[in-house]
């Protein structure tokens, strides 16, 4: 309220509040339609190459840190991001030789949720999906279980060091919980290529002893995920909201504190592939 009054969005007179000059100038067009319109669609970004629309993507693909060019997978091809229009929710791309990421909205604010990821882990551990599957699908499922058996165990989570030295914590906790864990465990998380729906990339020098020490009190100091300042432009009425409140709003939408605490309470195995 103080912010709105100080910046002229609201005026005071005799204990009453009414629309101020700043709000009139910013939102007054079309009879304040932006203030009264309700949007129920997901906050997706439209991807364009020139004037041609390729499709829509989850905004988290544009806000997470990347190493080098930001690349997307869309329409069966790889694309390099050249410009992001945060206000209009548009992303401009050009063809790329390869690489890129794709992500679809699950049960969480972005990407796959905790329940779906844990169900995936259960299937890898041997639980059969409650549906009829073909022999071809059954054979493929057996291959996947054999290939990923070292990434799951029923009692908790797994930290695996692959042959190339990459150290990854397989939480199977979903995007929001992993975003929360990444923000909380900055001492052990890789500073650039950090997490996805199923796992979190750790620093290569993390040892089991260091892990136990650095995560012992993590559940008592959970942090909200980091938010790219550019993403604030896409928040409705961002001009009338203090930056700290806008950042906290987006961070809270991205976080899953309860599930992050649940993961930290589970035992963790260290494996060397």
């Amino acid at each position: 309220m103080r912010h709105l009054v100080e910046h002229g969005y609201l005026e005071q007179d005799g204990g009453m509040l009414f629309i101020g000059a700043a709000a009139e100038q910013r939102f007054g067009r079309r009879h304040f339609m932006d203030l009264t319109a309700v949007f129920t669609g997901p906050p997706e970004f439209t991807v364009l190459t020139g004037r041609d629309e390729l499709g829509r993507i989850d905004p988290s693909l544009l806000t997470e840190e990347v190493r080098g060019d930001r690349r997307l997978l869309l329409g069966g091809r790889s694309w390099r991001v050249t410009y992001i229009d945060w206000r209009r929710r548009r992303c401009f791309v050009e063809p790329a030789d390869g690489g890129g990421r794709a992500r679809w909205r699950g049960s969480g604010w972005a990407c796959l949720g905790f329940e779906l990821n844990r169900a995936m882990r259960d299937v890898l551990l041997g639980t059969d999906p409650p549906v009829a599957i073909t022999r071809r699908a059954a054979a493929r499922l057996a291959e996947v279980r054999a290939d990923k058996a070292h990434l799951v165990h029923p009692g908790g989570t797994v930290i695996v060091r692959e042959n190339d030295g990459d150290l990854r914590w397989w939480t199977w906790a979903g995007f929001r919980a992993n975003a929360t864990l990444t923000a909380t465990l900055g001492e052990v998380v890789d500073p650039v290529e950090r997490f996805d729906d199923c796992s979190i990339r750790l620093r290569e020098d993390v040892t089991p002893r260091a892990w136990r020490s650095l995560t012992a009190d993590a559940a008592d100091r959970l942090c909200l995920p980091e938010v790219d300042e550019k993403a604030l432009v896409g928040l409705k009425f961002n001009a009338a909201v203090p930056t700290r409140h806008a950042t906290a709003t987006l961070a809270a939408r991205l976080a899953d504190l309860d599930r992050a605490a649940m993961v930290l309470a589970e035992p963790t195995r260290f494996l060397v592939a």
Side-chain angles (χ1 to χ4, degrees):
M1 184 72 70
R2 287 194 301 270
H3 175 84
L4 294 174
V5 172
E6 290 173 0
H7 289 78
Y9 290 99
L10 292 177
E11 297 288 350
Q12 298 183 87
D13 186 11
M16 301 292 290
L17 293 168
F18 55 94
I19 294 295
E24 181 78 37
Q25 181 179 6
R26 185 84 183 192
F27 307 115
R29 300 180 182 86
R30 296 186 297 174
H31 305 288
F32 294 93
M33 182 177 290
D34 285 344
L35 291 175
T36 58
V38 177
F39 300 93
T40 57
E44 296 177 330
F45 274 68
T46 301
V47 180
L48 301 162
T49 175
R51 295 185 178 181
D52 297 328
E53 181 176 331
L54 297 175
R56 296 176 182 273
I57 60 170
D58 191 282
S60 62
L61 285 171
L62 303 177
T63 58
E64 61 190 20
E65 294 186 46
V66 296
R67 183 178 295 151
D69 293 337
R70 187 180 300 277
R71 298 194 176 197
L72 308 173
L73 284 177
L74 195 62
R77 297 185 58 184
S78 297
W79 306 91
R80 186 177 70 86
V81 176
T82 58
Y83 178 73
I84 302 172
D85 186 339
W86 295 99
R87 187 175 301 280
R88 297 183 178 181
R89 295 188 179 277
R90 294 179 178 180
C91 170
F92 294 87
V93 298
E94 64 182 16
D97 295 335
R101 303 184 65 183
R103 183 174 292 143
W104 290 269
R105 192 172 312 279
S107 58
W109 175 83
C111 316
L112 303 184
F114 180 87
E115 292 81 1
L116 183 54
N117 270 269
R118 285 302 165 102
M120 292 162 57
R121 187 186 73 165
D122 291 343
V123 170
L124 292 177
L125 288 167
T127 300
D128 290 324
V131 295
I133 59 176
T134 64
R135 284 180 293 179
R136 180 181 178 185
R140 177 57 182 154
L141 182 57
E143 293 176 4
V144 173
R145 282 171 172 163
D147 182 55
K148 298 184 180 296
H150 64 298
L151 305 180
V152 294
H153 84 87
T157 60
V158 183
I159 295 178
V160 177
R161 187 180 300 278
E162 302 292 353
N163 293 328
D164 60 359
D166 187 18
L167 192 65
R168 191 169 286 274
W169 181 24
W170 289 88
T171 65
W172 301 96
F175 185 88
R176 295 171 61 204
N178 282 350
T180 305
L181 292 167
T182 297
T184 302
L185 302 174
E187 307 95 330
V188 295
V189 173
D190 185 285
V192 179
E193 187 179 344
R194 302 189 292 178
F195 70 95
D196 55 26
D197 300 327
C198 304
S199 65
I200 299 173
R201 184 172 180 175
L202 306 178
R203 292 198 335 250
E204 295 182 0
D205 60 349
V206 175
T207 63
R209 182 177 180 179
W211 173 262
R212 289 191 295 269
S213 174
L214 293 170
T215 60
D217 64 341
D220 298 324
R221 53 180 176 85
L222 290 174
C223 301
L224 295 178
E226 298 177 4
V227 174
D228 190 318
E229 290 186 3
K230 295 179 181 179
L232 300 181
V233 178
L235 185 66
K236 194 173 184 182
F237 311 132
N238 67 84
V241 181
T243 301
R244 66 183 186 281
H245 290 166
T247 302
T249 297
L250 292 183
R253 291 178 182 177
L254 185 59
D256 189 344
L257 299 175
D258 292 340
R259 300 298 171 46
M262 186 185 302
V263 172
L264 290 170
E266 297 174 334
T268 302
R269 287 184 180 179
F270 261 81
L271 298 177
V272 178

